[in-house]
Amino acid sequence: MTGAQMVVKTLEENGVTTIFGYPGAANCPIIDRLPGSAIKHILVRNEQGAAHMASGYARVTNKPGVCTATSGPGATNLITGIATAYMDSVPMIAITGQVVSNLLGRDAFQEVDITGATHPFTKHNYLIRNGLDLPKVIDEAFYIASTGRPGPVLIDIPMDILKKEYDYPERKKEPIVIRGYKPIGMGKAHEMQIKKVAEAVKASQKPVILAGGGVVLSNATKEFRHFVQMTGIPTVTTMTGVGVIEGKSDLNYGMIGSHGIKSANMTLNHSDLVIILGSRLGDRSVANAAGLEKRTKLIHIDIDPAEIGKNIFPDIPVVGDVKDVLSQLEPLLRDYKVSPEWKEYVDRIRSDWKVEEETQDNGFVNPRYFVKKLSEKAGSDAYVSTEVGQNQIWVANNYNFSDPRHFITSAGFGTMGYGLPSAIGASVASGSTVISVMGDGSFQMDLPEMGTMRQWDIPVKMVVLENHRLGMVHEHQFINYKSNYYAVSLEGSPDFCKLADAYGIPSMRISENSEIDKGIDALLDGKKSFLLVVEVDPFEPTGGALNSHYLPKEDK
Amino acid sequence: MESKYILSVLVEDNSGVLAKVVGLFSRRGFNIHSLAVGVTNIEGVSRITIEVIGDELTVEQISKQLNKLIDVIKIKVSRSDELVKRGLLLVKVKISSKNRTEVIQIANIFRANIVDVSQSTITAELTGGDTKLNAFLDMLAPYGIEETAMTGMIALERGTNVLKA
């Protein structure tokens, strides 16, 4: 059996049915063994798309997504996708071909040290030196990628090893043991700490739960919602936590952070106890961690011990899997209920800062109103991916997610070009409706992947919020650079509807709020791709009507 | 409060492990004071000894991050004075026929070995903690130090405690 055959066989044994990839000389031996296997290879248009698709696939299935590329530029094109997955703890296996072993380190054609390059943003990586290691390494890679705090693992395989014949090593069915990696047993938290948490909650007057992506990663959404309902503690989320509590829940006070909503940040800041569940508290969520430490008591629950004390110093640290911790806490807090005064207080903040959306016709579509409408019409089965920029914030703050795995976005790394390919991956994984909400800047990083959609009949619904600018940078230049608008105009962009037409994808353009219903109905009609271009005011603020009076009337 | 710490790190003896460990330090802008790597009595396990100067919280964070590396099997963080630690120094000193004996005497006081001698130089080797090595270098400085080579510190805990893989 050749090395390449071993790769395919072991991937099959690990339940892989789809690989997103791009062939080249170095990974061709693997591609060559795929026909007739249980694995479908989806040819993308740029390797970066392959990594993002694997990422979208993984977010939906909760299993590692697999992508492959050739050596050198193929491998480096994967890098942005791998780093994106790393920052949001997405399980992924990236398999790269490498130049033949005896040319390693000699600057051979299409050679790059991809294990060296990706080390800072992979959970682990391997450069294969002996083909007989392949089955063991691939098993380990799946185990590492999907257990503990998930993340991407890269396997770099020299071409000669892929081609060489080996006797397939005898496979033991024993559980994988890696002496430097013990994710099992990290689950249950220390009972003493759990007791302290329960006591702190009971002693507090104004508790708040801050939920992050760790709740999603530990598959604890059900337990989490039960815990929130049981205790009645007001809940705010980070971006990766959007959806862990239902958008319309009475105890959902919204997303915090620099692009969160005002009332969510106020709720957090007025508390006397914050229970941080599965969040690393990145700077975009809590810009001033030291301030929060001073103001309020902090409980930090995370599966990764290295997160405790990294960005914030908690009063009570708890290392454990969110799901286990919640089940440990449940019996201790069964009789606890948050005080009605505190609930009334935060309810008042929420209603004080509630904004009525502009819905009159004025030549532009209100993007927040559009997203709210989209949320109503698409239903709870739909998945929504975003790009990065204003579109991401509008969706995060206005779409009513009933399941956090249905919101697919690059939160930690903030990768433009993530939205469409991740939606493609999500569509392949789920077979459900997947909507990709983009800006006209980010969409132009994705354009070629429309070919992938067509080739493999992947019916992603595309929305482009078009303002002919890089909207968020434009806003940034307005606020922080004295309106020195530079390098943000997207003049020269094509007519996206014509472009879609060239790919055989139907489309529509809307520019009034009264056209929203018509547009969304066309978008969601049938199991086929569609492009809806939505004309948005270039001066539409990310934060909504709250600060719109600061804005000039015209684009200068 | 900054002080000197020693991280004793047991790692899988794979290619690239040292780069992964060292990379973590540089990425966080954390300076390595000294570094020593070698095989151990356990097959397939190498020991990396890293001397760092920093505050307790930063050192703890570094150690947690190192622990996340799959190839890292075990880490022990110790205050520098809790360990027996040794480094090896080779030093080449300029001499003349007049002061050769003086230099040899100094070497004898430090229990250094003279490992090479020429008309104009003496090369000595000395093992010890960094205070001793530095004191030796201070004593030799007036004669003119031509070249030095020093290993990173290696260290074992005092008493019965053992770092097991």
Side-chain angles (χ1 to χ4, degrees):
Chain A
M1 190 179 282
T2 64
Q5 279 173 304
M6 285 203 273
V7 171
V8 174
K9 185 174 158 63
T10 320
L11 288 175
E12 284 175 332
E13 285 170 1
N14 279 285
V16 176
T17 53
T18 307
I19 291 184
F20 302 93
Y22 207 100
N27 67 339
C28 224
I30 300 176
I31 303 291
D32 178 64
R33 302 322 302 173
L34 288 175
S37 76
I39 302 169
K40 180 179 178 184
H41 178 270
I42 292 185
L43 175 68
V44 304
R45 296 300 184 264
N46 178 316
E47 289 89 348
Q48 185 177 310
H52 289 331
M53 287 176 207
S55 176
Y57 186 92
R59 283 181 189 243
V60 169
T61 57
N62 194 26
K63 284 186 209 138
V66 184
C67 56
T68 182
T70 193
S71 61
T76 52
N77 274 353
L78 287 179
I79 279 182
T80 301
I82 295 171
T84 305
Y86 183 76
M87 288 291 271
D88 284 343
S89 308
V90 175
M92 181 194 287
I93 309 287
I95 298 174
T96 48
Q98 181 54 281
V99 301
V100 295
S101 302
N102 62 9
L103 286 183
L104 272 175
R106 289 164 62 179
D107 295 335
F109 177 66
Q110 292 193 331
E111 180 186 359
V112 77
D113 173 13
I114 194 65
T115 47
T118 57
H119 175 249
F121 44 84
T122 46
K123 189 168 171 188
H124 193 46
N125 65 31
Y126 299 88
L127 169 60
I128 303 293
R129 307 308 303 267
N130 178 354
L132 285 172
D133 293 340
L134 276 168
K136 179 174 162 277
V137 163
I138 293 172
D139 283 353
E140 275 187 14
F142 274 86
Y143 176 64
I144 291 169
S146 56
T147 51
R149 178 181 184 172
V153 178
L154 179 134
I155 308 170
D156 195 28
I157 317 172
M159 211 183 334
D160 55 313
I161 292 177
L162 289 173
K163 287 181 181 165
K164 198 173 159 188
E165 286 281 342
Y166 300 90
D167 290 328
Y168 190 69
E170 201 179 305
R171 308 262 283 140
K172 292 180 215 147
K173 287 238 168 87
E174 288 159 21
I176 295 164
V177 179
I178 305 167
R179 52 184 166 181
Y181 181 66
K182 299 272 179 291
I184 311 294
M186 274 166 70
K188 282 244 182 298
H190 203 283
E191 280 300 335
M192 187 70 129
Q193 295 304 93
I194 293 290
K195 254 192 201 151
K196 278 192 201 163
V197 172
E199 279 159 20
V201 171
K202 285 176 186 165
S204 78
Q205 304 300 312
K206 301 184 279 181
V208 165
I209 292 172
L210 167 53
V215 180
V216 190
L217 295 170
S218 86
N219 286 313
T221 303
K222 200 172 130 230
E223 291 77 1
F224 175 76
R225 289 178 183 178
H226 168 70
F227 184 79
V228 172
Q229 278 309 323
M230 183 183 80
T231 57
I233 300 175
T235 298
V236 295
T237 75
T238 64
M239 186 176 280
T240 46
V242 165
V244 294
I245 179 159
E246 272 187 283
K248 53 188 167 202
S249 163
D250 182 43
L251 290 167
N252 179 13
Y253 291 82
M255 183 175 85
I256 58 157
S258 47
H259 290 294
I261 57 173
K262 178 88 180 170
S263 55
N265 286 322
M266 286 176 71
T267 300
L268 185 69
N269 288 334
H270 288 212
S271 67
D272 66 355
L273 175 78
V274 184
I275 307 161
I276 306 160
L277 268 169
S279 166
R280 70 184 149 89
L281 295 191
D283 51 313
R284 223 187 187 211
S285 301
V286 176
N288 181 7
L292 195 63
E293 281 165 19
K294 261 185 235 151
R295 266 197 305 278
T296 169
K297 195 166 183 169
L298 296 169
I299 298 168
H300 193 178
I301 300 162
D302 205 285
I303 194 169
D304 184 352
E307 287 306 337
I308 310 280
K310 188 177 89 178
N311 294 332
I312 203 157
F313 292 99
D315 299 277
I316 308 175
V318 182
V319 176
D321 186 286
V322 168
K323 194 174 193 164
D324 289 318
V325 172
L326 287 172
S327 73
Q328 285 171 279
L329 275 174
E330 204 262 2
L332 301 181
L333 290 171
R334 209 168 278 161
D335 300 327
Y336 169 84
K337 199 80 189 176
V338 84
S339 79
E341 292 80 19
W342 173 232
K343 172 88 172 75
E344 273 164 36
Y345 184 83
V346 290
D347 279 351
R348 203 168 332 117
I349 296 179
R350 185 165 54 185
S351 58
D352 282 355
W353 290 91
K354 200 173 161 87
V355 179
E356 282 308 320
E357 289 300 346
E358 183 73 46
T359 57
Q360 301 296 311
D361 278 357
N362 58 4
F364 294 112
V365 173
N366 174 345
R368 289 173 303 280
Y369 181 56
F370 172 83
V371 169
K372 285 191 168 116
K373 283 284 212 180
L374 182 64
S375 174
E376 279 168 26
K377 284 182 173 270
S380 57
D381 284 344
Y383 291 81
V384 179
S385 79
T386 75
E387 286 289 346
V388 168
Q390 293 183 303
N391 65 83
Q392 181 183 40
I393 309 305
W394 288 328
V395 171
N397 284 329
N398 296 287
Y399 200 95
N400 183 7
F401 288 98
S402 54
D403 181 332
R405 287 201 180 273
H406 286 235
F407 178 41
I408 297 161
T409 197
S410 168
F413 205 49
T415 310
M416 284 175 74
Y418 182 72
L420 187 56
S422 65
I424 292 173
S427 178
V428 172
S430 68
S432 306
T433 303
V434 180
I435 305 160
S436 171
V437 178
M438 302 170 269
D440 45 347
S442 41
F443 181 45
Q444 291 187 75
M445 293 193 179
D446 299 329
L447 296 177
E449 301 304 346
M450 280 196 284
T452 310
M453 284 162 58
R454 291 296 290 153
Q455 183 175 8
W456 304 101
D457 201 14
I458 300 165
V460 172
K461 315 281 188 184
M462 298 178 285
V463 175
V464 173
L465 303 174
E466 187 175 36
N467 58 9
H468 312 279
R469 273 158 193 75
L470 302 176
M472 196 175 254
V473 184
H474 181 258
E475 185 181 37
H476 187 56
Q477 291 177 341
F478 168 71
I479 297 169
N480 298 315
Y481 293 90
K482 298 179 180 152
S483 300
N484 181 24
Y485 302 121
Y486 195 71
V488 288
S489 161
L490 289 170
E491 206 176 316
S493 300
D495 177 337
F496 295 131
C497 292
K498 278 190 185 160
L499 197 62
D501 186 47
Y503 278 101
I505 296 171
S507 63
M508 185 192 284
R509 175 184 293 274
I510 59 171
S511 55
E512 294 290 356
N513 288 322
S514 57
E515 296 175 309
I516 290 178
D517 281 338
K518 182 183 71 178
I520 294 177
D521 288 344
L523 175 77
L524 297 176
D525 181 43
K527 217 173 166 62
K528 59 181 196 316
S529 304
F530 193 85
L531 172 69
L532 180 62
V533 181
V534 179
E535 194 71 25
V536 172
D537 185 346
F539 278 93
E540 187 65 54
T542 307
L546 275 182
N547 41 8
S548 59
H549 56 278
Y550 296 122
L551 294 176
K553 286 276 174 265
E554 297 166 352
D555 188 352
K556 284 171 194 160
Chain B
M1 240 264 293
E2 299 217 324
S3 49
K4 204 180 259 184
Y5 292 87
I6 288 203
L7 278 66
S8 303
V9 189
L10 296 185
V11 298
E12 297 287 350
D13 189 9
N14 295 338
S15 64
V17 174
L18 183 63
K20 288 180 182 179
V21 168
V22 173
L24 256 182
F25 283 79
S26 62
R27 240 176 290 142
R28 283 163 192 273
F30 207 60
N31 238 345
I32 292 178
H33 190 71
S34 91
L35 176 79
V37 194
V39 294
T40 63
N41 56 323
I42 313 155
E43 207 189 314
V45 175
S46 295
R47 185 176 182 122
I48 304 179
T49 308
I50 306 163
E51 211 178 4
V52 294
I53 296 168
D55 62 69
E56 198 182 343
L57 288 172
T58 323
V59 173
E60 188 187 320
Q61 179 57 216
I62 281 283
S63 133
K64 282 174 170 177
Q65 293 293 341
L66 282 174
N67 241 325
K68 285 174 75 166
L69 297 179
I70 311 288
D71 286 328
V72 168
I73 303 164
K74 206 151 227 181
I75 300 177
K76 171 98 188 181
V77 181
S78 317
R79 292 283 291 272
S80 196
D81 49 14
E82 298 164 345
L83 304 164
V84 181
K85 51 171 198 166
R86 292 290 180 272
L88 172 65
L89 166 74
L90 287 175
V91 54
K92 191 178 282 186
V93 194
K94 200 152 57 176
I95 49 148
S96 63
S97 52
K98 285 185 197 145
N99 62 16
R100 181 187 293 135
T101 335
E102 264 177 58
V103 171
I104 293 173
Q105 275 172 350
I106 291 172
N108 284 342
I109 293 168
F110 278 88
R111 280 179 232 136
N113 293 323
I114 307 296
V115 287
D116 186 63
V117 64
S118 73
Q119 287 297 336
S120 58
T121 59
I122 274 184
T123 302
E125 76 170 357
L126 178 65
T127 54
D130 39 10
T131 349
K132 181 178 170 188
L133 301 184
N134 286 329
F136 186 48
L137 287 175
D138 283 348
M139 288 304 292
L140 296 178
Y143 302 95
I145 293 172
E146 296 278 88
E147 198 176 2
T148 62
M150 210 191 286
T151 64
M153 288 288 151
I154 52 170
L156 289 180
E157 212 175 332
R158 294 180 190 277
T160 51
N161 282 352
V162 173
L163 191 58
K164 284 195 181 118

